[in-house]
Amino acid sequence: MTAEVILAASEGANPLLPNPWEILVTAVAFAVLLFVVKKFIAPTFEKSYTDRVEAIEGGIEKAEEAQAEANALLEQYKAQLLDARTEANSIRESARAEGAQILADLKEKAAEESARITAQAQVQIESERVAAVNSLRNEVGTLATQLAGKIVGEALNDDARSNRVVERFLTDLENQANAGVSK
């Protein structure tokens, strides 16, 4: 049986070699399929691949631009914040200096007002003292003239004479007061 099989195989077609018609039909079908894939399917895949690459690269570029813009805005914000802090510090220092200046001005005005009030009081006291001394001189002079008139026994109606007596009496009185103070 093995011999018969070998004999039958040698008579007919070789099983290792394909049929030429099958090769031709398969080659034509492969060529048509290759043509359709190259003409219609491959460009569609290539276009979708290109679109996807562009979208990804565009997204990356947009993300990089957005990141750069965010970084620029952050730096701008930091600069504005620093400027605001600097300005706030300068305003604070200016307010302190202005407050100190106002306080110094108020102290100066108070000192001036105090000096003015003191000077005015001194002037008033001096004028009242002078008025009191004059009033006292007149009263003392009148009393002294009356007393001298009673002692002497005659009236001292002459104004010039009474003024001299009063002046002498007051001078003696001041000398006694000064002598008591210097002891």
Side-chain angles (χ1 to χ4, degrees):
M1 193 164 98
T2 57
E4 290 176 9
V5 173
I6 295 177
L7 192 55
S10 61
E11 287 180 9
N14 188 353
L16 295 178
L17 291 176
N19 188 350
W21 285 106
E22 284 180 0
I23 292 176
L24 183 63
V25 170
T26 305
V28 170
F30 181 74
V32 169
L33 183 63
L34 185 63
F35 175 75
V36 169
V37 166
K38 272 192 158 183
K39 186 70 174 174
F40 299 108
I41 296 174
T44 305
F45 281 141
E46 189 65 33
K47 184 178 180 302
S48 98
Y49 173 74
T50 305
D51 291 344
R52 179 165 268 190
V53 167
E54 287 175 0
I56 291 171
E57 287 176 355
I60 291 172
E61 287 175 6
K62 286 180 183 177
E64 288 174 352
E65 289 174 4
Q67 183 66 34
E69 185 177 338
N71 287 339
L73 288 174
L74 178 63
E75 291 302 318
Q76 184 181 7
Y77 169 73
K78 286 180 180 178
Q80 287 176 349
L81 185 61
L82 181 63
D83 289 345
R85 285 181 179 161
T86 304
E87 184 177 349
N89 285 338
S90 68
I91 289 172
R92 213 174 298 127
E93 289 301 318
S94 173
R96 282 187 190 133
E98 189 175 325
Q101 181 62 36
I102 289 171
L103 185 61
D105 289 346
L106 288 175
K107 284 181 180 180
E108 183 180 331
K109 286 180 182 178
E112 289 173 0
E113 184 67 18
S114 173
R116 184 186 64 78
I117 290 172
T118 303
Q120 187 178 10
Q122 291 291 341
V123 168
Q124 187 175 359
I125 289 170
E126 183 61 29
S127 66
E128 287 177 2
R129 187 187 71 75
V130 168
V133 166
N134 287 338
S135 172
L136 187 62
R137 277 182 186 243
N138 288 337
E139 288 180 22
V140 168
T142 303
L143 289 174
T145 305
Q146 288 174 355
L147 182 62
K150 286 184 183 180
I151 291 176
V152 174
E154 68 180 70
L156 296 173
N157 290 334
D158 185 15
D159 285 336
R161 191 180 326 157
S162 66
N163 280 340
R164 281 194 309 266
V165 170
V166 169
E167 287 297 324
R168 205 172 338 128
F169 177 73
L170 289 176
T171 304
D172 290 341
L173 190 63
E174 284 178 7
N175 288 338
Q176 288 176 359
N178 288 339
V181 170
S182 62
K183 288 183 182 181

